[in-house]
């Protein structure tokens, strides 16, 4: 799909503008930041799953070479409570008392002159515990639970009577295992106090929230805290919170009055920065014999830490998925003695989609209807909750293009009907609607006498391409070359943007940059309003457009002048404006429902007849992402998302020992993630039109590509083998 705008930069598959810096080692990640006189921290984790610390003895550790201090609950000052965030109450910060709520909870931090000395001494801190039995297991009757934790439960029509009177009823349970984000970049914090001012280099997807929480905990004004993250080695959602290790590092820097760096170890990444929680689901469907859905009931349960809150909205995608008159969704949260979970790409959605799209597929098998045909019969042409039109929805186009490209209709309908030698062959598909969250956003844009633009905001780049799309949007809208745009980001002192998460940043930024570019062109016209020499004198923003480094009349490109000429003639160094956008469909007078991104995902699997080996043989995602900002980074992002979906479907599982709460596979030797040999050729196609809800037409694209993969794979496995696997990951044992 091509750009709706004129300058042919938007949408183009431009290489990442930070690519060279990254591959040549010039990009500074939080773990690379160094200051003179910097000290190094290492963490000590609890070796029990619940109880109290009876005694903690740092004497031996303090005599170890290079050790500067050992912080424990016995010697740190009390911290203030952090302010609540959009994700509920503030996280619980450690070393505030002697209670242990999960295995691996941080019980001490050792600071030394070198990282090796800190780690060596951490092993010499002696902790005596009073152990109690940890509450573990999602179905544990001792676990406290919260009904409707996110206030998102949905109801329409009358599900009970629809289920009681339907021609066909379906009722099954699903399960997904806990998983852990394993970005290549180990999470790190470097903290440096300069009097009452604090600089924190931090692995975060949300510098403004990190600033708010750190300022709150240390009782300093937000303006006194600067959070920096110019490059980030992935995060996938783990960087959307400010975790305890960050607070401990800032605390150590304050108490020692020296800069302190902490880099989590790979095993600590399993306990310190959240994980995708385990989930169980019950799906009930009612349908007519010709496959018209008359009721959907979806109940989902996932855990949070013993005294914490986590948002993993399992049923959130279900109400909008199909045109179905009777619906109810319920989420439940159970408190367990586990490290608090957190966000992992498409949190809640991917688990919920696995349950719902598996159920739809099973219904299709039972009714003898092609699974794609069943979805087409239940397509939600308007928003099913309100009946209002979607701002855009190309899901039917996703189905059509996908079926054709994939060769879906070559599928023999019956299970175990397709074979290639010893391998059973299966085709499966799943549908995805992913509601992204655009939020209020600001940028600062300027153009200087060298004709170059600068665009600044707090937004981070997780590695997904934010630098590049910011440059592309700015160049497109101001009529510049991409080389003429300098991007500043990852700094909480810059104009605020929402988190790089929830697939919302690109759409939010697009609105703010569009507003900023329009405002900046308006500022140039203001300068020219009484300029006798200018062909643009007295012109309004609507009369002009920009290309080739010039503002010119829309209908007469020869009548215009360059940014550089205007600035020079008027003796101005630069013009700078702020662009901002708060998405609000009502304010725009649009009677529509902002739609999600959509995808149809198709998978061919092979299952070895004797050995049960499962291979994804090929996979296709057809995605409606509205206006694609960069065909290359967008495609890469969908492919990466598909890989995570394959990992979830086949390999990934964080194993909690059910007696102690210890994670038994928290290393790269034991925790399986997909490697190249697990991943076939991945095919990605974009369809659809720029979305009407957004000035540039952007929809979020970060997560949609993960969501349907587990269900598509499970559905293909059923087609290949006749076996329905309702629990992820689909391992060899489950297939034998
Ligand atoms: Mo994503 S889980 O919103 O980084």
């Amino acid at each position: 799909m091509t750009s709706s705008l004129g300058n042919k930069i938007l949408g183009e598959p431009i290489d990442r503008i930070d690519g060279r810096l990254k591959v040549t080692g010039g990009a500074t990640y939080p773990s690379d930041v160094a200051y003179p006189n910097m000290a190094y921290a290492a963490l000590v984790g609890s070796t029990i799953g619940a109880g109290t610390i009876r005694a903690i003895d740092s004497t031996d550790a303090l005599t170890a070479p290079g050790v500067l201090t050992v912080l424990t609950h016995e010697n740190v000052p009390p911290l203030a409570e952090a302010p609540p965030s959009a994700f509920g109450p503030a996280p619980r910060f450690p070393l505030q008392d002697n209670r242990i709520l999960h295995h691996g909870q941080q019980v001490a931090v050792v600071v030394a002159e070198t990282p090796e000395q800190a780690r060596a001494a951490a092993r010499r801190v002696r902790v005596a515990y009073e152990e109690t039995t940890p509450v573990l297991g999602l179905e544990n009757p001792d676990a406290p639970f919260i009904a409707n934790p996110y206030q998102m439960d949905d109801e329409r029509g009358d599900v009970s009577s629809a289920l009681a009177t339907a021609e066909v009823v379906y009722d099954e349970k699903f399960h997904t295992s806990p998983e852990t984000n394993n970005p290549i970049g180990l999470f790190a914090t470097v903290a440096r106090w300069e009097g009452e001012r604090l600089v924190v280099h931090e692995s975060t997807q949300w510098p403004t929230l990190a600033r708010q929480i750190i300022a709150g905990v240390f009782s300093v004004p937000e303006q006194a805290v600067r959070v920096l993250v110019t490059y980030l080695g992935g995060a996938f959602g783990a960087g959307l919170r400010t975790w305890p290790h960050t607070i401990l590092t800032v605390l150590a820097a304050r108490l020692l009055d020296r800069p302190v760096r902490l880099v989590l170890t790979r095993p600590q990444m399993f306990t310190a920065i959240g994980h995708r929680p385990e989930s169980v689901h019950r799906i009930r469907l009612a349908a007519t014999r010709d496959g018209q859905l008359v009721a959907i009931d979806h109940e989902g349960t996932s855990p949070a830490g013993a005294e914490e809150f986590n948002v993993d909205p399992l049923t959130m995608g279900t109400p909008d998925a199909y045109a179905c008159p009777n619906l109810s969704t319920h989420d439940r949260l159970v408190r367990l003695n586990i490290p608090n979970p957190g966000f992992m790409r498409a949190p809640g959605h991917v688990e919920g989609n696995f349950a719902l799209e598996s159920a739809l597929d099973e219904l299709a098998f039972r009714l003898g209807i092609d699974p794609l045909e069943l979805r087409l019969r239940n397509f939600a042409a308007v928003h099913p909750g309100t009946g209002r039109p979607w701002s855009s929805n190309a899901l039917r186009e996703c189905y059509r293009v996908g079926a054709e490209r994939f060769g879906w209709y070559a599928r023999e309908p019956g299970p175990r009907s397709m074979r290639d030698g010893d391998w059973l062959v299966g085709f499966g598909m799943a549908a995805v609607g992913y509601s992204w969250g655009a939020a209020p956003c600001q940028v600062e844009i300027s153009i200087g006498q060298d004709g170059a633009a600068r665009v600044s905001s707090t937004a981070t780049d997780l590695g997904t391409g934010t630098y590049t799309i910011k440059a592309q949007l700015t160049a497109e809208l101001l009529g510049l070359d991409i080389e003429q745009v300098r991007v500043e980001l990852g700094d909480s002192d810059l104009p605020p943007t929402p988190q790089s998460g929830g697939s919302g940043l690109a759409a939010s930024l697009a609105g703010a940059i569009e507003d900023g570019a329009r405002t900046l062109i308006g500022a140039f016209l203001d300068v020219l309003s009484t300029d006798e020499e200018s062909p643009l004198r007295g012109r309004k923003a609507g009369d002009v457009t920009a290309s080739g480094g010039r503002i010119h009349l829309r209908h007469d490109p020869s009548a215009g002048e360059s940014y550089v000429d205007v600035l020079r003639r008027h003796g101005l160094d630069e013009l700078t404006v702020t662009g901002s956008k708060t998405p609000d469909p009502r304010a725009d007078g649009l009677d529509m429902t902002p739609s999600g991104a959509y995808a149809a995902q198709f998978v061919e699997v092979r299952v070895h007849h004797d050995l049960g080996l499962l291979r994804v043989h090929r996979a296709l995602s057809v995605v409606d992402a509205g206006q694609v900002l960069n065909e290359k980074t967008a495609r890469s992002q969908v492919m990466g998302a598909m890989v995570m979906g394959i990992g979830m479907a086949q390999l990934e599982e964080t194993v909690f020992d059910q007696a102690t709460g210890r994670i038994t596979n928290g290393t790269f030797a034991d925790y399986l993630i997909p490697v190249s040999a697990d991943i076939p050729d991945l095919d990605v196609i974009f369809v659809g039109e720029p979305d009407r809800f957004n000035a540039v037409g952007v929809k979020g694209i970060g997560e949609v590509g993960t969501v349907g993969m587990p269900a598509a794979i499970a559905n293909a496995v059923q087609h290949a083998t006749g076996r329905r696997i309702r629990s992820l990951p689909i391992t060899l044992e489950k297939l034998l």
Side-chain angles (χ1 to χ4, degrees):
M1 85 180 284
T2 54
S3 162
S4 59
L5 303 169
N7 283 319
K8 299 195 165 50
I9 296 172
L10 206 64
E12 288 300 298
I14 291 169
D15 289 346
R16 285 160 200 277
I17 62 171
D18 52 336
R20 172 175 285 270
L21 203 61
K22 283 185 165 177
V23 298
T24 56
T28 305
Y29 294 84
S31 56
D32 298 326
V33 171
Y35 285 108
N37 199 35
M38 188 165 76
Y40 297 83
L43 299 169
V44 181
S46 162
T47 56
I48 63 164
T52 51
I53 299 172
R54 190 152 38 78
I56 189 159
D57 181 3
S58 313
T59 332
D60 188 35
L62 282 165
T63 63
V67 171
L68 299 164
T69 189
V70 178
L71 306 180
T72 71
H73 71 280
E74 292 178 342
N75 65 3
V76 303
L79 298 167
E81 287 223 348
S85 76
F87 307 136
R92 177 179 188 267
F93 290 121
L95 307 198
Q96 294 297 292
D97 56 42
N98 69 344
R99 294 179 310 135
I100 301 297
L101 299 181
H102 68 84
H103 203 285
Q105 177 185 313
Q106 293 144 25
V107 295
V109 52
V110 177
V111 192
E113 296 290 351
T114 72
E116 293 79 11
Q117 288 170 335
R119 270 193 214 182
R123 286 195 284 273
R124 291 164 68 169
V125 176
R126 302 217 167 82
V127 191
Y129 297 99
E130 206 76 66
E131 199 170 349
T132 58
T133 307
V135 178
L136 297 164
L138 257 186
E139 324 261 10
N140 190 326
D142 293 336
F145 80 90
I146 310 168
N148 192 11
Y150 324 123
Q151 308 297 312
M152 284 177 189
D153 287 3
D154 208 337
E155 296 281 349
R156 62 178 183 254
D158 183 347
V159 166
S160 306
S161 35
L163 281 163
T165 56
E167 290 175 8
V168 185
V169 173
Y170 170 96
D171 184 352
E172 293 290 354
K173 288 199 165 131
F174 294 87
H175 169 258
T176 69
S177 295
E179 292 185 275
T180 300
N181 275 318
N182 273 294
I184 197 83
L186 295 170
F187 270 39
T189 304
V190 177
R192 179 173 182 240
W193 288 88
E194 299 156 359
E196 282 305 295
R197 275 198 58 93
L198 169 67
V199 176
V200 184
H201 302 266
E202 172 73 340
S203 303
T204 179
Q205 293 167 247
W206 200 346
T208 48
L209 181 70
R211 177 176 69 174
Q212 191 190 352
I213 289 191
I214 294 165
V217 170
F218 290 94
S219 305
V220 296
E222 278 190 45
Q223 296 71 27
V225 180
R226 185 176 189 189
V227 175
L228 292 163
V229 51
T230 37
Y231 294 96
L232 186 57
F236 307 113
L240 289 170
R241 297 241 181 121
T242 298
W243 299 99
H245 69 270
T246 299
I247 301 303
L248 290 181
T249 311
V250 174
L251 181 64
R254 161 149 266 187
L255 295 175
L256 280 176
D257 199 20
R258 284 175 66 167
V260 173
R261 181 204 279 176
L262 172 75
V263 183
L264 294 181
T265 64
R266 186 58 65 180
Q268 286 167 354
M269 296 281 281
F270 282 79
T271 54
I273 58 167
H275 62 273
R276 187 194 299 284
E278 185 178 12
S279 72
V280 291
H281 306 250
R282 181 182 183 194
I283 298 266
R284 291 187 296 166
L285 304 174
T288 62
R289 255 183 265 288
D290 64 357
Q292 208 65 53
L293 286 170
V294 289
I296 301 174
D297 180 62
H298 185 177
E299 183 184 272
T301 305
S302 68
E307 292 184 3
E308 297 192 276
F309 192 76
N310 183 55
V311 181
D312 204 68
L314 300 169
T315 68
M316 193 179 164
T318 300
D320 291 359
Y322 292 101
C324 177
N326 305 294
L327 169 128
S328 61
T329 61
H330 308 278
D331 273 273
R332 289 161 36 112
L333 196 64
V334 172
R335 296 194 189 283
L336 301 177
N337 287 116
I338 56 171
N340 200 29
F343 299 111
M344 182 165 178
R345 208 165 192 171
H349 274 77
V350 60
E351 300 101 298
N353 182 282
F354 167 66
L356 181 64
E357 288 295 301
S358 294
L360 257 282
D361 202 72
E362 260 186 291
L363 184 66
F365 274 104
R366 290 183 193 178
L367 296 174
I369 298 174
D370 178 86
L372 176 52
E373 175 57 29
L374 183 72
R375 286 167 175 85
L376 283 165
R377 284 184 198 175
N378 292 285
F379 174 71
V382 294
H383 181 249
T386 60
R388 294 194 301 163
W390 299 106
S391 56
S392 65
N393 184 335
L395 180 57
R396 260 192 299 225
E397 182 80 348
C398 296
Y399 290 141
R400 191 185 61 73
V401 170
E404 190 173 310
R405 172 84 146 223
F406 187 81
W408 176 258
Y409 295 109
R411 175 182 183 271
E412 295 287 339
R416 300 179 74 90
S417 58
M418 293 164 66
R419 226 180 145 118
D420 181 3
D422 290 336
W423 296 84
L424 304 168
V425 174
F427 285 9
M429 56 86 55
V432 185
Y434 195 88
S435 50
W436 43 274
C441 186
Q442 283 185 22
V443 296
E444 189 179 89
I445 307 186
S446 65
I447 290 189
Q449 277 206 6
D450 58 356
R454 182 175 48 79
V455 55
S456 314
S457 64
T458 53
T460 54
D461 188 333
L462 286 75
T464 49
T466 309
Y467 275 105
T468 309
I469 58 122
K470 270 176 101 166
Q472 262 177 290
L473 276 161
T474 306
E476 173 75 43
L477 294 162
L478 291 175
L480 300 171
D481 291 337
I482 190 140
E483 295 78 16
Q484 290 176 291
V485 181
R486 189 157 65 83
V487 178
E488 292 175 338
L489 55 69
D491 179 348
S492 65
D493 279 1
L494 297 174
T497 57
Q499 73 278 8
S500 306
S503 297
L505 183 65
S508 306
L509 271 175
I513 293 174
E514 193 276 338
D515 181 68
R518 209 161 14 85
T519 306
L520 186 58
I521 290 171
F524 273 88
L525 293 179
D526 285 347
V527 167
L528 300 175
S529 59
T530 58
D531 183 338
E532 301 285 340
E533 284 178 48
S534 176
L536 299 174
R537 176 171 60 104
R539 292 297 184 165
K540 302 263 180 298
D543 304 335
V544 302
T545 187
S547 64
R550 305 164 67 245
I551 304 172
H552 55 77
L553 293 182
R554 250 174 222 287
H555 304 297
D556 180 8
S558 71
E561 54 181 325
S562 72
Y563 299 115
V564 174
D565 286 347
V566 178
L567 292 171
R568 290 208 179 128
R569 196 163 72 243
H570 289 265
L572 298 164
D573 289 337
E574 63 169 46
L575 280 181
T576 302
V577 300
T578 298
S580 70
K581 177 70 182 170
T582 299
D584 180 358
R586 294 299 184 185
D588 295 341
L590 305 173
D591 186 24
M592 63 172 72
T593 301
S595 77
Y598 297 94
Q601 299 189 288
F602 296 81
V603 168
E604 178 182 336
V605 301
R606 307 225 156 168
V607 180
H608 194 278
H609 185 267
D610 303 316
L611 305 175
L613 286 171
L614 167 61
R615 294 276 182 259
V616 176
H617 188 69
R618 60 194 177 104
L620 164 68
S621 294
V622 184
V623 181
D624 165 17
Q627 171 66 52
V628 169
L629 294 174
N630 179 318
E631 183 90 27
K632 181 180 281 183
T633 55
R635 179 178 306 278
S636 297
Q637 206 167 354
V638 174
M639 285 169 54
M642 291 167 76
V643 172
M644 286 187 78
I646 292 172
M648 181 174 180
Q650 286 190 261
L651 297 165
E652 297 196 47
E653 178 175 7
T654 306
V655 180
F656 288 88
D657 177 67
Q658 287 303 301
T660 63
R662 178 177 169 269
I663 293 172
T664 62
N665 64 342
T667 71
F668 271 179
D670 297 310
Y671 183 90
L672 301 180
I673 53 174
V675 297
S676 297
D678 297 308
I679 303 301
D681 277 348
L682 301 176
D683 193 5
V684 179
I685 303 176
F686 294 108
V687 299
E689 297 297 323
D691 186 61
R692 287 185 294 155
F693 179 54
N694 175 291
V696 182
V698 183
K699 298 185 191 184
I701 202 176
E703 293 163 294
V704 64
T706 296
V707 179
M709 291 302 287
I713 291 169
N715 296 344
V717 166
Q718 149 107 30
H719 182 230
T721 66
R723 303 275 309 277
R724 172 59 60 174
I725 310 294
R726 299 190 195 88
S727 174
L728 298 181
I730 303 172
T731 52
L732 200 60
E733 310 83 85
K734 291 177 189 167
L735 278 174
L736 278 176

